[in-house]
Amino acid sequence: MGFIAWSLAIVAFLTLLWTLSDAGKCLIKWVLFITISICVATLPIPIMLLRPRDPKNALIPAAALRACSTFLGLTLSVEGVENIVQNTGCVVLINHQSMLDLIVLACLWPIMDNCTVISKKEVFYVQPFGLASWLWGTIFIERGSKNALDAVNKTGEIIRQRKARVLMFPEGTRNLGKNKLLPLKKGAFHLALASKVPIQPVAVCRYKFLKNLRFESGTLKIKILPIIPTEGCTKDDIPKLMEDTYRVLSENVDALSDSGVKENGYSNGTEKNGHFKTVQISN
């Protein structure tokens, strides 16, 4: 009875916290999101072991995170699927805001075939998450090493061999609540040249539902943009590639953030795709 009584007391307390306090609701949502993220990434490891280094291993945690977004009060919207580059790998560059960017990856993973991410080598030793990351094909590199150029070239070779789509955040750090993107880092562009693959920008709306210890309901809008070719480019072209990428990302982040979820803001048809919907915003 003691356990039951304590359980009911905790449930009652959390219910009151959720109902009466915006900060309390925010805390509960974040604890739930982090807990679910850790569990869904590691619990399927026995299944993942059946096909090691396969990007499809991440489809299970991705589906769980998309389902979790419903409880968080988020509607997921993806558009521009027709822009996804075919028959080759690419470097996918996404604006970076918070831990909720994991949901963005969870939306992109099933629709951009053969996805992967890059992580510093030390993450592999954070178990069991490191094993799960390795099983779904994460590319581990030694950052800041004296052989950084060699590491980039080796990673580029892996991307070419796998025809992988590498999901990266070129701002390098989280940029939440600001109205301007941070300057982009060069690493992703060196990698695109070393891999001889195009750049695929992906814009995500600003998380206006996160503010001042509040985690409100809202729409997380993602737009896959046309590729930026790198064929024939050299290191001398990197500043221009960075400028072009920054411009298209910035313009589309602004457009997605300023456009409300209005009936006349979308085309007549919306195509549901799993736990998220694919939409096209009219001009």
Side-chain angles (χ1 to χ4, degrees):
M1 289 296 295
F3 174 78
I4 295 176
W6 273 107
S7 299
L8 291 175
I10 292 173
V11 170
F13 173 74
L14 292 177
T15 301
L16 283 174
L17 196 62
W18 179 279
T19 305
L20 302 177
S21 170
D22 289 331
K25 182 185 292 187
C26 178
L27 176 62
I28 292 171
K29 284 187 175 184
W30 275 116
V31 170
L32 177 72
F33 174 71
I34 293 171
T35 302
I36 289 178
S37 297
I38 294 173
C39 291
V40 301
T42 56
L43 291 180
I45 283 178
I47 299 174
M48 297 180 190
L49 287 170
L50 299 176
R51 50 183 186 189
R53 305 296 287 165
D54 189 337
K56 292 181 180 179
N57 283 330
L59 292 177
I60 299 174
L65 283 181
R66 295 197 304 274
C68 172
S69 67
T70 301
F71 180 83
L72 298 177
L74 299 178
T75 300
L76 308 180
S77 170
V78 182
E79 61 177 294
V81 176
E82 69 278 3
N83 292 322
I84 297 175
V85 64
Q86 303 296 324
N87 303 318
T88 182
C90 63
V91 175
V92 181
L93 301 186
I94 313 164
N95 54 302
H96 192 17
Q97 298 182 77
S98 83
M99 285 184 64
L100 283 183
D101 292 338
L102 288 175
I103 296 179
V104 176
L105 301 185
C107 288
L108 295 175
W109 210 275
I111 60 177
M112 302 184 77
D113 190 39
N114 205 22
C115 288
T116 189
V117 292
I118 293 176
S119 179
K120 56 186 178 182
K121 193 174 182 179
E122 289 77 7
V123 171
F124 177 75
Y125 300 103
V126 181
Q127 297 301 340
F129 179 76
L131 175 58
S133 299
W134 181 84
L135 287 169
W136 63 58
T138 296
I139 300 172
F140 294 99
I141 62 172
E142 293 187 30
R143 293 181 177 175
S145 67
K146 295 181 180 179
N147 298 319
L149 180 59
D150 185 49
V152 168
N153 290 332
K154 287 181 178 178
T155 304
E157 182 63 28
I158 293 172
I159 294 171
R160 284 196 301 275
Q161 290 176 355
R162 292 191 195 175
K163 292 186 178 180
R165 307 174 195 275
V166 183
L167 310 182
M168 302 182 70
F169 299 102
E171 291 172 278
T173 188
R174 297 171 189 170
N175 182 25
L176 181 64
K178 298 179 182 178
N179 293 323
K180 185 177 180 181
L181 298 184
L182 297 175
L184 307 185
K185 305 292 186 180
K186 291 183 178 180
F189 299 90
H190 282 288
L191 181 59
L193 293 187
S195 308
K196 300 179 181 179
V197 297
I199 294 166
Q200 181 105 63
V202 173
V204 182
C205 70
R206 296 187 180 93
Y207 299 159
K208 293 183 178 180
F209 46 81
L210 293 180
K211 52 186 176 183
N212 300 326
L213 295 179
R214 295 169 68 98
F215 193 145
E216 301 173 344
S217 299
T219 300
L220 197 162
K221 291 179 280 187
I222 304 166
K223 186 174 183 179
I224 303 169
L225 305 172
I227 65 168
I228 298 175
T230 62
E231 185 177 359
C233 292
T234 67
K235 293 179 181 179
D236 293 335
D237 298 304
I238 286 181
K240 180 65 165 57
L241 291 172
M242 294 175 67
E243 179 183 341
D244 291 344
T245 304
Y246 187 94
R247 175 178 52 78
V248 297
L249 274 178
S250 183
E251 290 174 355
N252 282 276
V253 168
D254 288 343
L256 289 173
S257 303
D258 293 338
S259 62
V261 184
K262 299 178 182 178
E263 184 176 349
N264 62 2
Y266 294 94
S267 60
N268 292 331
T270 59
E271 177 189 351
K272 293 189 176 180
N273 189 348
H275 291 282
F276 53 90
K277 59 182 179 180
T278 303
V279 300
Q280 291 186 345
I281 295 179
S282 57
N283 294 327

